[in-house]
């Protein structure tokens, strides 16, 4: 029954593309798109899940030697995308923002 079927939760295509602007005197900014193709929840390929793109962005700036502040947003457009169908539909992470400071040590 499984011959010729696709593996469960394994999209045929997936990819990531990103663009970064980096000038340590000003800031570093990155925009990224993650793309996942259609897939199936189950090994019999009876529960399809559509493909989806998700866009992320981040920005950071060094404020003093070794200390950097940053902010990042995942799923910028708050896209609702299906990641599981095992008895109940499960959706991926909604828009999520985080920020903070990093201590970097350069040699």
């Amino acid at each position: 029954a499984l011959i010729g079927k696709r593996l469960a939760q394994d999209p045929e295509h997936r990819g990531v593309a990103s663009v970064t602007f980096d000038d340590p005197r000003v800031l570093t900014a990155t925009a990224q798109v993650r793309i996942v193709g259609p897939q199936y929840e189950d090994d019999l390929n009876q529960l399809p899940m559509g493909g989806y793109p998700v866009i992320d962005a981040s920005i950071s700036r060094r404020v003093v030697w070794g200390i950097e502040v940053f902010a990042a947003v995942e799923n910028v457009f708050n896209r609702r995308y299906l990641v599981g169908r095992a008895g109940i539909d499960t959706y991926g992470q909604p828009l999520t923002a985080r920020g903070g400071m990093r201590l970097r040590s350069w040699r």
Side-chain angles (χ1 to χ4, degrees), residues 14-56:
R14 69 191 106 202
V16 175
S18 66
V19 175
T20 300
F21 170 81
D22 185 23
D23 183 344
R25 296 167 300 166
V26 182
L27 61 87
T28 299
T30 300
Q32 169 181 284
V33 62
R34 297 176 279 145
I35 299 172
V36 177
Q39 58 190 306
Y40 292 95
E41 169 66 37
D42 63 320
D43 56 357
L44 295 175
N45 295 174
Q46 294 176 342
L47 298 171
M49 297 189 302
Y52 56 87
V54 176
I55 296 174
D56 307 321

Side-chain angles (χ1 to χ4, degrees), residues 88-103:
I88 186 170
D89 287 352
T90 304
Y91 294 93
Q93 178 175 311
L95 182 142
T96 303
R98 57 187 157 75
M101 291 190 328
R102 285 189 275 254
L103 177 60

Side-chain angles (χ1 to χ4, degrees), residues 34-88:
R34 297 176 279 145
I35 299 172
V36 177
Q39 58 190 306
Y40 292 95
E41 169 66 37
D42 63 320
D43 56 357
L44 295 175
N45 295 174
Q46 294 176 342
L47 298 171
M49 297 189 302
Y52 56 87
V54 176
I55 296 174
D56 307 321
S58 66
I59 189 166
S60 64
R61 177 164 169 65
R62 186 174 58 188
V63 289
V64 295
W65 185 91
I67 297 178
E68 180 179 76
V69 295
F70 71 90
V73 177
E74 296 179 33
N75 195 2
V76 170
F77 297 109
N78 201 27
R79 181 179 172 91
R80 189 172 176 182
Y81 54 97
L82 196 59
V83 296
R85 298 193 65 198
I88 186 170

